[in-house]
Amino acid sequence: VQLGYRSALSATLSMSTRAFVGDYRNEARMVYDGLPYGYPSTAAWHGAELQLVSTAVAAHTLMAGVDYQRNQRLTQDIHDYADPSSDYNWHDRRDGYRAGVYAQDEWRISDTLSTTVGLRADHNELTGTTLSPRLALIWKASAQTALKLLYGRAHRASNAYEAYYEEEGLQASNPGLGGETVDTFEIVADHRVSSELHLRASLYQWEIKDLITLVTRDEGDAQYQSAGTVKSRGLELSANRSWRNGARLRGNLSLQHATDAAEQRVTNSPRVLARLNFSAPLPSTPLRTGLELAYDGNRRSAAGATVDGYWRANLHLVAERWIPGTEVSLSILNLFDADYAHPSAGMPTHWSDSLLQDGRSLRLKVDYRF
């Protein structure tokens, strides 16, 4: 649940604030060797954010903000229903917090050149204080073309499952597990051929340091550890086409090469991703239909095998204005009933090297906004 408020404090200063509260409950009942076990987990959190935006300085848009989240409950359990007194039963309860402060300046140097400089500081009980800078240089080469040079850093602390979950003989906890950091560099070219056609090309490189990865220990069980550095380089191409009747066509192609600290191909990382989406309104009805086509290239599994690439199609029928504030959609997922799988985390937590995915399925979804 979230409550937000926005207000213009003056002609050059605006404020936005929000408060939120969340609750998560997961029930997992499973059978191993004919015996029932339970793996429930819960979480509860609340927090708030305040942001100010000022245009008081000519050619500058200044933004500053602070946010805070309190995690008052993080629980994980293992229940042996056949033997409640067994040592296999396990309970873990945690709490925690995170706080952040950030500032950013968008400076329009000239009619064709602008820059963005930002810095965010985050603090939590696991990793202490981390800094995340953000830089951008944007050149509007013409009325139709813009070139962007972008750099950014992001940080993620380990979560409760990665740091504290343990199961005898299968997975060990790692309370000292830190966080991971990603640095991204990107060159983007945007070109608007016309009001209906927009093209984009992006050349990028990112580097993750201290990547949190599930590894097999000498003891034979698994543990989440900081597994060194992972690098990726890639190219993304996209095109968006629209028509006056409301029809839209979007397509993108991504080519990437990701390697780990040993210069080996990263697991579950396809080198080719392709997406094509077409949607159009149905005449004289409040309905819109859409077709998605997706291709994922082959991927390396945790055991070093190759999981085949696959094509998948989804068909959607959406009633956008059928009932005020309500959107109803009917979807046929995996329209052509393709057989495909995703790599698993590997031994010892998964006995299969890959996990088969659902075939054709039907989904009815209702969204209500108020």
Side-chain angles (χ1 to χ4, degrees):
V1 178
Q2 176 174 291
L3 179 65
Y5 175 74
R6 294 181 181 180
S7 176
L9 303 180
S10 69
T12 60
L13 182 64
S14 63
M15 178 195 72
S16 63
T17 184
R18 68 186 182 101
F20 57 88
V21 59
D23 187 86
Y24 171 88
R25 298 177 185 272
N26 176 67
E27 293 289 340
R29 296 171 181 262
M30 304 180 188
V31 176
Y32 293 108
D33 294 330
L35 299 176
Y37 297 89
Y39 301 86
S41 57
T42 69
W45 64 93
H46 60 269
E49 179 178 9
L50 173 67
Q51 183 181 101
L52 298 173
V53 177
S54 172
T55 57
V57 181
H60 290 264
T61 299
L62 302 172
M63 178 177 67
V66 59
D67 61 44
Y68 175 82
Q69 178 175 313
R70 172 67 179 170
N71 302 317
Q72 71 263 32
R73 185 185 74 246
L74 299 165
T75 69
Q76 302 177 89
D77 289 84
I78 300 177
H79 298 320
D80 184 345
Y81 293 122
D83 184 3
S85 62
S86 168
D87 291 339
Y88 191 72
N89 291 279
W90 175 78
H91 171 73
D92 184 72
R93 181 183 177 111
R94 306 282 168 174
D95 57 23
Y97 70 93
R98 64 168 181 83
V101 59
Y102 56 90
Q104 179 178 286
D105 179 18
E106 295 181 16
W107 178 23
R108 185 166 53 84
I109 302 173
S110 68
D111 291 339
T112 61
L113 190 64
S114 63
T115 184
T116 299
V117 178
L119 181 65
R120 179 181 176 95
D122 288 284
H123 184 85
N124 62 68
E125 78 281 1
L126 294 176
T127 60
T129 302
T130 57
L131 299 178
S132 302
R134 179 183 181 186
L135 303 170
L137 183 64
I138 303 172
W139 176 42
K140 194 171 183 180
S142 69
Q144 295 79 30
T145 305
L147 300 177
K148 305 175 184 179
L149 182 62
L150 310 173
Y151 164 75
R153 175 179 295 170
H155 171 78
R156 183 182 78 87
S158 57
N159 58 45
Y161 177 75
E162 294 166 333
Y164 302 116
Y165 182 81
E166 59 182 34
E167 189 171 353
E168 184 178 357
L170 187 66
Q171 184 170 324
S173 63
N174 189 359
L177 184 63
E180 58 188 20
T181 301
V182 58
D183 288 281
T184 63
F185 300 87
E186 189 173 8
I187 301 174
V188 181
D190 280 308
H191 181 65
R192 187 169 293 278
V193 180
S194 66
S195 59
E196 292 84 17
L197 179 59
H198 179 208
L199 306 177
R200 169 175 288 190
S202 171
L203 188 66
Y204 69 88
Q205 173 182 298
W206 54 254
E207 180 178 280
I208 300 180
K209 297 177 181 177
D210 300 321
L211 177 69
I212 298 174
T213 305
L214 188 66
V215 301
T216 302
R217 303 196 305 167
D218 294 338
E219 292 83 348
D221 58 4
Q223 185 183 54
Y224 280 97
Q225 299 179 3
S226 296
T229 300
V230 172
K231 297 180 180 180
S232 179
R233 298 178 178 88
L235 172 67
E236 293 184 355
L237 305 172
S238 65
N240 294 308
R241 177 72 162 91
S242 60
W243 287 267
R244 293 182 179 179
N245 66 349
R248 296 192 297 264
L249 177 65
R250 295 180 297 171
N252 62 74
L253 173 67
S254 177
L255 308 174
Q256 63 176 359
H257 180 62
T259 55
D260 59 20
E263 296 298 324
Q264 298 292 318
R265 183 181 176 187
V266 173
T267 60
N268 198 17
S269 176
R271 291 184 174 175
V272 180
L273 290 170
R275 301 289 186 267
L276 186 66
N277 301 271
F278 176 76
S279 67
L282 296 180
S284 304
T285 72
L287 302 177
R288 186 178 188 90
T289 186
L291 177 66
E292 294 178 282
L293 294 176
Y295 173 75
D296 285 34
N298 64 60
R299 289 161 290 172
R300 178 176 174 266
S301 71
T306 298
V307 178
D308 293 335
Y310 62 90
W311 282 95
R312 188 183 61 192
N314 301 319
L315 182 64
H316 306 279
L317 186 65
V318 182
E320 296 175 313
R321 299 175 301 277
W322 189 16
I323 303 173
T326 303
E327 179 181 284
V328 181
S329 64
L330 179 65
S331 301
I332 303 177
L333 306 177
N334 196 359
L335 178 63
F336 300 112
D337 201 24
D339 291 327
Y340 69 101
H342 293 315
S344 73
M347 295 293 285
T349 57
H350 288 85
W351 292 270
S352 175
D353 197 36
S354 61
L355 303 174
L356 290 174
Q357 301 301 298
D358 289 340
R360 184 186 299 113
S361 59
L362 193 66
R363 182 184 71 190
L364 178 64
K365 183 179 178 181
V366 179
D367 288 321
Y368 178 66
R369 295 174 176 84
F370 59 93

